[in-house]
Amino acid sequence: MNRAAMLLLDILYPNRCDCCNDRIPYDMLLCEECIGLLLGQRIDFADWAQNHPAHPWTAGTALFSYADAARTGVLAMKDGRRGFCRFSAKLLAESLAETAGIDFVTWVPVTRSRRRQQGFAHAEYLAECIAEELGIPSRGGLLQEQAGSVRQHDLPAAEREIYAQRFTGTGADLRGMHILLADDILTTGATLRRCTSLLLEMGAARVDIAVICAGVKVSLRDD
Ligand SMILES: [Zn+2]
């Protein structure tokens, strides 16, 4: 885009930071201040994994504690805004750079009616952004969510495992595939455990997960 077009766009449709809503230049995904805050919220996935049951995936990556700037960013992402999502996809791709051999990225689906209602699925967009950063394809149609009446965040942990049974596989042939499964938030992990197991049942050789936020307290990374 040339400079004149950028200036015109800036007047007509100001670019705003998903985390604080301040105006930002067109070539920025978030404002400098929020980027600084987010980097201070980085977590180590191992901290989450330590306090949760055995999981079926091989490797996992999470970026931020689910609070403050990251929480606002996830909420903006659910509203269809994309700056925070793209910023997170870049960081996820960086931390996955050493995980060679991923065949494609897929995502935790939402029910058809919810997707229709929203007009998009945010985890799908996240998966597409990560795939683009990694230079590999994204692929949907592997998992499906059956409609249910309960919102998961209202459920206690034990019931989430049962509720996660609403996800089913489509019977795709995934033999030998190394898959990256993306979602926005990891709390108890019930959804990602279920979805990972389904991909493995369909023949996947290995599933890794990538999430933006995990529900753990802030602990600064050593690096
Ligand atoms: Zn900001």
Side-chain angles (χ1 to χ4, degrees), residues 16-223:
R16 290 185 183 275
C17 172
D18 285 357
C19 300
C20 69
N21 216 36
D22 275 0
R23 285 181 72 152
I24 48 173
Y26 256 86
D27 52 359
M28 294 284 291
L29 295 173
L30 298 170
C31 80
E32 297 281 6
E33 198 186 333
C34 289
I35 290 173
L37 291 172
L38 285 168
L39 296 180
Q41 279 184 247
R42 285 295 294 265
I43 53 167
D44 191 333
F45 184 76
D47 289 347
W48 180 90
Q50 228 169 33
N51 299 309
H52 289 82
H55 46 74
W57 55 77
T58 302
T61 311
L63 294 176
F64 312 119
S65 58
Y66 185 56
D68 308 324
R71 186 168 175 276
T72 320
V74 167
L75 295 176
M77 180 177 154
K78 289 183 173 176
D79 274 341
R81 292 176 57 167
R82 300 189 151 180
F84 174 76
C85 186
R86 285 175 56 203
F87 176 78
S88 301
K90 279 183 195 294
L91 287 185
L92 285 169
E94 271 172 31
S95 47
L96 288 162
E98 287 161 30
T99 317
I102 299 172
D103 290 295
F104 61 83
V105 190
T106 193
W107 58 91
V108 172
V110 294
T111 60
R112 251 184 257 174
S113 66
R114 196 159 133 220
R115 196 184 185 289
R116 220 175 13 241
Q117 232 170 38
Q118 292 183 329
F120 67 98
H122 58 273
E124 178 178 344
Y125 184 64
L126 173 65
E128 283 167 6
C129 290
I130 298 171
E132 194 184 316
E133 293 290 334
L134 291 174
I136 58 175
S138 64
R139 188 174 159 191
L142 309 178
L143 301 165
Q144 53 202 3
E145 182 188 15
Q146 309 301 327
S149 52
V150 203
R151 292 301 295 259
Q152 182 169 245
H153 54 246
D154 298 330
L155 293 174
E159 285 172 38
R160 285 186 184 212
E161 298 293 339
I162 300 164
Y163 188 55
Q165 302 294 317
R166 74 193 183 286
F167 289 99
T168 54
T170 56
D173 180 4
L174 301 178
R175 263 175 297 179
M177 293 287 167
H178 178 176
I179 302 170
L180 182 72
L181 175 62
D183 203 6
D184 55 347
I185 309 173
L186 177 69
T187 44
T188 66
T191 296
L192 282 159
R193 276 194 293 278
R194 170 70 175 165
C195 291
T196 299
S197 300
L198 289 167
L199 295 171
L200 292 170
E201 277 167 27
M202 287 187 274
R206 169 174 170 163
V207 178
D208 296 330
I209 63 159
V211 295
I212 298 179
C213 291
V216 288
K217 290 202 184 81
V218 178
S219 67
L220 292 176
R221 290 161 60 94
D222 301 329
D223 51 354

